[in-house]
Amino acid sequence: MNTLTRLSHSPHTTFHSSAVSPNKTGSFLQPLSCSSALGFCFPKPLFPPAQIASRVRVSYKFRRSLFPAETQLSDVDEEDDEDDDDDDDVAADEYDDVPGEASDGVEDEIETSMAPSEVPAFRSEESKWQRVEKLCNEFREFGEELDVDELASIYDFRIDKFQRLAIQAFLRGSSVVVSAPTSSGKTLIAEAAAVATVARGRRLFYTTPLKALSNQKFREFRETFGDNNVGLLTGDSALNKDARVLIMTTEILRNMLYQSVGMVSSGSGLFHVDVIVLDEVHYLSDIYRGTVWEEIVIYCPKEVQLICLSATVANPDELAGWIGQIHGKTELVTSSKRPVPLTWHFSTKTSLLPLLDEKGKSMNRKQNSCYYVASPCSCEKLSLSYLQHYASGDNSFKDERSRRRNFKKHESDISYRRSLSIHGKSSLSKNDINTTRRSQVPQVIDTLWHLKARDMLPAIWFIFSRKGCDAAVQYLEDRKLLDECEMSEVDLALKRFRLQYPDAVRESAVKGLLQGVAAHHAGCLPLWKSFVEELFQRGLVKVVFATETLAAGINMPARTSVISSLSKRGESGRIQLSSNELLQMAGRAGRRGIDESGHAVLVQTPYDGAEECCKLLFAGVEPLVSQFAASYGMVLNLLAGAKVTRRLIESDDLKVLQAGRTLEEARKLVEQSFGNYVSSNVMLAAKEELTKVEQEIQALSSEVTDDAIDRKSQKMLSAMAYNEIANLQEELRAEKRLRTELRRRMELRRMSALKLLLKELEDGHLPFMCLQYKDSEGVQHSVPAVYIGKVDSLDGTKVKNMVYTNDCFALNAIVTDLSVDDTESQLDGRPSYFVALGSDNSWYLFTEKWIKTVYRTGFPNVALAGGDALPREIMRTFLDKADIQWEKLANSELGGLWCSEGSLETWSWSLNVPVLSSLSEDDEVLKMSQAYYEALECYKEQRNKVSRLKKKIARTEGFREYKKIMDMTKFIEEKIKRLKARSNRLISRIEQIEPSGWKEFMQVSNVIHESRALDINTHIIFPLGETAAAIRGENELWLAMVLRSRVLLDLKPAQLAAVCGSLVSEGVKVRPWKNNSYIYEASTTVINIINLLDEQRNSLLELQEKHGVQIPCCLDSQFSGMVEAWACGLTWREIMMDCAMDEGDLARLLRRTIDILAQIPKLPDIDPLLQSNAMTASNVMDRPPISELAG
């Protein structure tokens, strides 16, 4: 592949030849070359794959000569040392201005369906922008409708089938949903739509999730359409905003759409747009920002065509169906084919093995040691059983050649291995598995050697911590991956970069960069990451160690992706990657037009082996899930109708400037969310299934009635046999009814006896007792305990107050159906609550139902020394000392059994409660109750009578046939029971499925109403609401409250910046591994202002809690000093000297602060002095190396 062909496949690189005139005329201006983007890199030719292979591939026996033997570093070492780097995902933050911090799924390449050998010669006579201009001129001159072939003609390659189908759907006037793998060329569809739109003299909006990506698309589209036809609109940049093609972030478009449905925010609304491209529409599932994509689809005018580009998801049909239902005709185009095939590998300590079989459908278990010549073991050795024996030195697994020389031994080894594969895994403990896996974890150098030896570089190596990425670079900084010529080019580029941006050089990474390795994560400065990206694209960086934020969005195509682990560390422990995340990272491998195949390498870790890799790989992609959520900005913009003005016009009444939507109109919009669409389909399916289940229950129930059984018996039995069994069955039913009554009488007598017995023991010793219950799984538990007392006797205690005030402990059981002479017993039989301390040092709260027996023995209720409290009083004090959280263990109509953990003080008491086996049955005082004893004997006699009657029925003539009928009846009854359980689950699910969003919308509305930002009854919006409606942020109401506070007016610009920084510092952290480091402290004035604002914040949090709203209110002074120092003019070197923050974190915090400062002058009803100070602070802070233009 020569340089010309390579460049013809990259939308980011424009080829300049002698055939192209340097002076371009017309509306399309001269495009920028890749070297002009940052000014420090120049194009470098790449060799074709075969030539590269001949230069790089080396033999296995030369391994030692490639890398000197030194201290080794493995992926697991990096993982073990990593901290919780969840803030690397902050790249998706609304405020994030950092180029290169892309989120999942952004494809920036325009690619073809052709193999490298099939790429036609480059059309050097005219460039892409010239063909676009020619096509537009022809359309304007002849006015004929464009077709897909004309749009495809602007490219030097044959477009894919799915691209053609999507373009055809767009040309038919439909909205389009495209779901295709990463790097498959979805951006080409949007570009073709832009060409058609511009040719027709219409307008297209292209949205991306991040400002950095918007900037990138802005540069790319200018190369295609010329400077005059492309504009950029972000939070603090507005370039050529009336252009035919306008690039913007999704939040900007959402705010514009607010105005198109009758809003009051400042600025212009949605004017004269015909097509909107929603790139990365799978962001709809993002928990923090997904609601923005849903709102755009909901609010978008129906006459606007939507082009929704998504990575592969499980439910693209639901997405297309939803858009079609609420927006208009929508066509779905899907593709599952990767333009560059992806081969999966698995790396262990000694080998790089194929992960999948030849069909790619399951884990590779074939005996094929020739796949990799350098591999000392076969493909089957990915299994855990092999790894265990290989690590233990089992020669039967190691010596492949000797097995081939000895057929019989080979046969026996296969049988042994099969036995292990069946039984071995279950015999390993978790500790054994981890030990075995740890012994096979490769060092970074092991895997890297295989990649270089097999010509699999360049590679992106994903490690889920910044520290791990940096450590890997330092570990490899003495390994030479570049030749002398390449090192010279890197050195030259680095010198140019240092001259242009001296503060942006990451000195700790320079040595590794000169050897061809680099780190790329959120802790790096945006400019440095851009530099690394450009070197990587030129082939001057062979390995980039990156966090998962690089998985999409950045134009860094590689031959290989290495995923160091299937899990990453989170706040609650290790979190497994989702299948979508795995496929997104692996999808970076394979450069179209350069590589015949991409490579994804998964690495053995102590936590994951090949089996776990395959399980996750074949788990399937995840569906889109609605994250629609109400915000203060949404409610204010939807409901605001009239506003209070200081200047009255034409009348003394309030001037109504706009008619806000009614609550009913707002509800219709809110309930059009994607989640409600999916839920409505689920509810419909659930109702249909419930109907079928209820019909089946009704049909089966008719077969188990007494009449149905009687009819079956008459049909199958003789008349004499039927009469005999029928009479006995009637007698049996009567005896069972009597048995039930006697059992209830026995229980009542038992409860009465226990009540009297425990009352007698209240003032004596503390007796031992046995509590018995069955848990939710039916397992019976017997707990020895020491009795403390009846809850009624614990006057003034927390336990008594809880039992009598909490409905959970209510006792509603009423004993009935007893004879008249049992009235007194009936009153005594009402259950009561008691307390005991178990031998497991747990408190138990229970009724008589759960007492199995009470013993004579117990703790003496005698003080240990003169003046000490009695043991019973001590125990009651312990019980009332702390706030106890009770957990229900079992429940019945006679009261529940509750449990709570004891304390260290009760521990010594619980140790003296004897086990049940040491307590004698002779000590059971419950048996001493004569009334209970008589009731128990009566019940036993009746139970025996019922048993004898059943045996008599079993000896009758027709019992065998009758038993078949009863067995079938029991089977049907069990089936009915299961169906009723299914029915209850369906009913519960249907009840839970309700239109989502509106409840949250009204909760937010109530907070707005009570804070006097908007009157939701009259729709009058007040100045606080006006400001909140116009601002962009996580909690618009809180930001508006702060910015309207008069205390900010006395602040200097730098101090104002420091306060604003405290509002947007969420997620920024001090790095614990940075020893002897510091951060600047804020001035006393800033700290005092933040303390004053904290009181206001607490009031808003209380108001939110009152109405069930959970929107964060950020206010953190920890990093305000850093912002203040930068705003005061400190240089980057000064502020970063021994700083406890990463450069990228500080840059992100400063960009967020600049973003909110830049909004202040544009907000309505803000004091001019504050606006002036904000503008001054913003201008001072917006300087290299973090300035917008530089980044």
Side-chain angles (χ1 to χ4, degrees), residues 33-44 99 219 486 488-505 513 525-538 540-541 1185 1189-1191:
S33 68
C34 69
S35 61
S36 63
L38 291 174
F40 43 75
C41 295
F42 295 93
K44 174 184 180 295
R219 293 191 295 266
E486 291 171 328
S488 298
E489 289 191 57
V490 174
D491 185 54
L492 181 60
L494 183 61
K495 288 178 180 177
R496 290 196 179 101
F497 181 81
R498 191 186 296 274
L499 286 173
Q500 191 169 1
Y501 306 110
D503 290 336
V505 176
L513 191 68
L525 274 175
L527 273 172
W528 181 257
K529 289 191 291 185
S530 298
F531 181 53
V532 170
E533 292 161 17
E534 193 158 347
L535 291 178
F536 189 84
Q537 294 167 23
R538 293 174 55 197
L540 298 177
V541 171
L1189 294 178

Side-chain angles (χ1 to χ4, degrees), residues 239-280:
L239 303 175
N240 196 17
K241 62 181 181 180
D242 296 323
R244 294 290 185 189
V245 178
L246 187 60
I247 316 295
M248 66 184 69
T249 54
T250 46
E251 279 80 7
I252 295 294
L253 177 58
R254 189 267 309 272
N255 294 342
M256 295 170 67
L257 285 168
Y258 275 155
Q259 300 158 45
S260 71
V261 287
M263 311 307 154
V264 300
S265 298
S266 60
S268 58
L270 190 67
F271 296 122
H272 310 299
V273 61
D274 302 277
V275 182
I276 292 178
V277 177
L278 295 178
D279 204 354
E280 314 317 312

Side-chain angles (χ1 to χ4, degrees), residues 316-558:
D317 53 334
E318 289 184 331
L319 177 63
W322 170 62
I323 296 175
Q325 177 176 296
I326 69 171
H327 184 74
K329 183 181 178 183
T330 303
E331 298 187 43
L332 172 64
V333 178
T334 62
S335 174
S336 59
K337 182 180 178 182
R338 280 181 51 90
V340 180
L342 189 63
T343 304
W344 292 85
H345 311 265
F346 188 75
S347 177
T348 66
K349 188 173 185 178
T350 58
S351 308
L352 183 65
L353 307 171
L355 179 64
L356 306 179
D357 59 16
E358 294 178 357
K359 295 182 179 179
K361 301 296 184 182
S362 61
M363 179 174 155
N364 196 340
R365 297 186 181 277
K366 288 186 177 181
Q367 270 200 353
N368 182 11
S369 59
C370 64
Y371 184 86
Y372 290 134
V373 176
S375 174
C377 54
S378 71
C379 303
E380 187 178 17
K381 296 172 185 178
L382 292 176
S383 68
L384 185 63
S385 301
Y386 169 76
L387 293 178
Q388 181 191 25
H389 284 262
Y390 188 83
S392 64
D394 192 325
N395 291 328
S396 66
F397 282 85
K398 288 184 178 179
D399 196 348
E400 290 277 348
R401 294 179 181 177
S402 65
R403 283 208 302 272
R404 285 198 292 270
R405 289 194 299 265
N406 189 330
F407 180 78
K408 291 184 179 180
K409 183 180 179 183
H410 177 69
E411 290 273 324
S412 65
D413 284 340
I414 292 176
S415 300
Y416 180 43
R417 181 160 54 254
R418 287 174 179 168
S419 174
L420 283 171
S421 65
I422 297 173
H423 304 290
K425 187 171 182 179
S426 60
S427 64
L428 294 176
S429 68
K430 185 176 180 179
N431 187 56
D432 292 335
I433 292 174
N434 290 339
T435 301
T436 302
R437 284 175 171 167
R438 186 174 289 275
S439 69
Q440 289 299 310
V441 173
Q443 306 292 333
V444 170
I445 195 65
D446 299 329
T447 304
L448 179 59
W449 179 86
H450 288 294
L451 298 183
K452 184 168 184 179
R454 295 178 178 88
D455 191 23
M456 293 169 65
L457 298 179
I460 299 176
W461 199 307
F462 292 102
I463 297 176
F464 304 117
S465 78
R466 303 179 190 182
K467 187 179 179 182
C469 293
D470 293 336
V473 171
Q474 292 178 7
Y475 171 58
L476 296 177
E477 62 185 12
D478 293 327
R479 269 71 174 183
K480 190 174 180 180
L481 296 179
L482 302 178
D483 57 32
E484 295 299 329
C485 180
E486 291 171 328
M487 290 178 65
S488 298
E489 289 191 57
V490 174
D491 185 54
L492 181 60
L494 183 61
K495 288 178 180 177
R496 290 196 179 101
F497 181 81
R498 191 186 296 274
L499 286 173
Q500 191 169 1
Y501 306 110
D503 290 336
V505 176
R506 188 176 173 89
E507 297 295 346
S508 61
V510 168
K511 189 175 180 181
L513 191 68
L514 291 171
Q515 301 299 329
V517 294
H520 189 293
H521 53 69
C524 304
L525 274 175
L527 273 172
W528 181 257
K529 289 191 291 185
S530 298
F531 181 53
V532 170
E533 292 161 17
E534 193 158 347
L535 291 178
F536 189 84
Q537 294 167 23
R538 293 174 55 197
L540 298 177
V541 171
K542 303 300 182 182
V543 181
V544 167
F545 293 95
T547 53
E548 66 269 33
T549 54
L550 183 63
I554 307 304
N555 184 26
M556 290 181 63

Side-chain angles (χ1 to χ4, degrees), residues 850-862:
W850 310 104
I851 301 176
K852 181 183 179 183
T853 190
V854 180
Y855 298 92
R856 296 177 186 272
T857 57
F859 290 156
N861 193 30
V862 179

